[in-house]
Amino acid sequence: MAVSVTAALLIIGDEILTGRTKDKNIGYIAEYLTGIGVDLREVRVVPDVEEEIVAAVNALRGRYTYLFTTGGIGPTHDDITADCMAKAFGVGIDHDPRAVAMLRERYTPEELNEARMRMARIPDGASLIENPISKAPGFRIGNVFVMAGVPSIMQAMLDNIAPTLETGARMIIETIEAEGLAEGIYAEGLSRIASSYSSVSIGSYPSFSTSGFRNQIVVRGKDPDTVAQAAAAVRDHLVHLKGDRAPL
């Protein structure tokens, strides 16, 4: 049986919820984790409010193999993620000598002021996630990985995290073009196929381009034979409908 390794993503920050900042991390992380065999099962967005962050962390870290977070580890007063992690795990937090040393690689003693030193505050027992771009580290505590919200920094941190992760069977994806057929025409048959292949996920995704509507059916699963059989059933269904010249 294929091993399932699951994950959740917690996006932290008022700026996401107000729309001031447009999140660019969810899609990247989802695709990245899928590619290495980790199933992203849930994404939440919470404000910069301690009780909201702590509650979400404790709920998600117990439900999934891993929890990834982005945002709230900078130098300003509203960057409270590290403190919230310490509270969620019931541990202390202080300036970590390893994190201080990393910051000193970038900042002179005069530049390393009290605000920047906030980025060296790490919960007790956490391991550091290196940040080759701005040096301020993320950290791992338990099964929780705490990363920056800036996309380029987050991506660099994720690259450093990936080799340490347990991974499962990778998702196999087949995409089938439903050319010339609207969803309402093939929906009933697609539902029957989905019921027959319950171990795979079958979804229909319409889109619109300058050439008109386009419908794609995507079959996802971890067993190659089952995915191939389900995809073949979908193709046969579409061929049969086109042969009948079903009206759009």
Side-chain angles (χ1 to χ4, degrees):
M1 181 180 294
V3 175
S4 179
V5 179
T6 61
L9 172 61
L10 182 62
I11 308 293
I12 300 169
D14 293 341
E15 68 278 11
I16 301 296
L17 289 168
T18 61
R20 184 185 184 283
T21 298
K22 308 298 186 289
D23 180 81
K24 297 181 180 179
N25 292 328
I26 295 174
Y28 185 92
I29 292 171
E31 186 173 7
Y32 194 106
L33 294 180
T34 297
I36 63 173
V38 177
D39 298 335
L40 183 62
R41 295 284 180 83
E42 185 173 348
V43 178
R44 293 192 193 183
V45 184
V46 294
D48 296 310
V49 177
E50 181 182 274
E51 57 265 32
E52 297 283 349
I53 298 171
V54 172
V57 168
N58 283 332
L60 295 171
R61 71 186 176 97
R63 189 174 301 161
Y64 302 103
T65 312
Y66 299 118
L67 169 61
F68 299 87
T69 79
T70 65
I73 58 173
T76 60
H77 72 281
D78 57 340
D79 288 312
I80 61 173
T81 298
D83 292 277
C84 293
M85 292 296 167
K87 185 167 184 177
F89 280 86
V91 300
I93 183 171
D94 204 346
H95 294 110
D96 187 304
R98 300 167 299 171
V100 173
M102 290 177 178
L103 292 177
R104 284 176 176 159
E105 293 178 18
R106 179 177 182 186
Y107 300 108
T108 66
E110 294 76 21
E111 292 173 332
L112 197 52
N113 56 26
E114 183 177 350
R116 286 175 173 144
M117 282 291 288
R118 282 177 54 81
M119 297 187 292
R121 297 178 70 254
I122 305 293
D124 295 345
S127 58
L128 301 187
I129 302 171
E130 290 190 20
N131 169 7
I133 296 176
S134 64
K135 294 302 180 181
F139 58 88
R140 174 181 183 170
I141 181 166
N143 64 336
V144 182
F145 295 88
V146 178
M147 303 182 291
V150 177
S152 60
I153 299 176
M154 181 281 296
Q155 292 168 21
M157 288 182 173
L158 196 56
D159 284 339
N160 286 327
I161 291 168
T164 72
L165 298 176
E166 175 188 359
T167 57
R170 298 189 181 189
M171 190 70 70
I172 299 165
I173 301 173
E174 286 225 32
T175 301
I176 302 152
E177 297 285 346
E179 296 178 0
L181 293 173
E183 284 187 305
I185 299 299
Y186 59 74
E188 184 177 350
L190 197 65
S191 178
R192 288 196 298 269
I193 295 169
S195 296
S196 299
Y197 295 93
S198 58
S199 64
V200 302
S201 169
I202 301 177
S204 176
Y205 304 96
S207 60
F208 186 78
S209 66
T210 54
S211 59
F213 281 104
R214 179 187 189 188
N215 288 322
Q216 292 182 312
I217 299 170
V218 179
V219 181
R220 301 180 182 88
K222 295 192 174 182
D223 179 71
D225 291 337
T226 306
V227 171
Q229 291 168 17
V234 171
R235 291 189 180 95
D236 288 345
H237 175 53
L238 299 180
V239 168
H240 174 72
L241 291 175
K242 288 178 183 178
D244 287 346
R245 302 293 182 183
L248 299 179

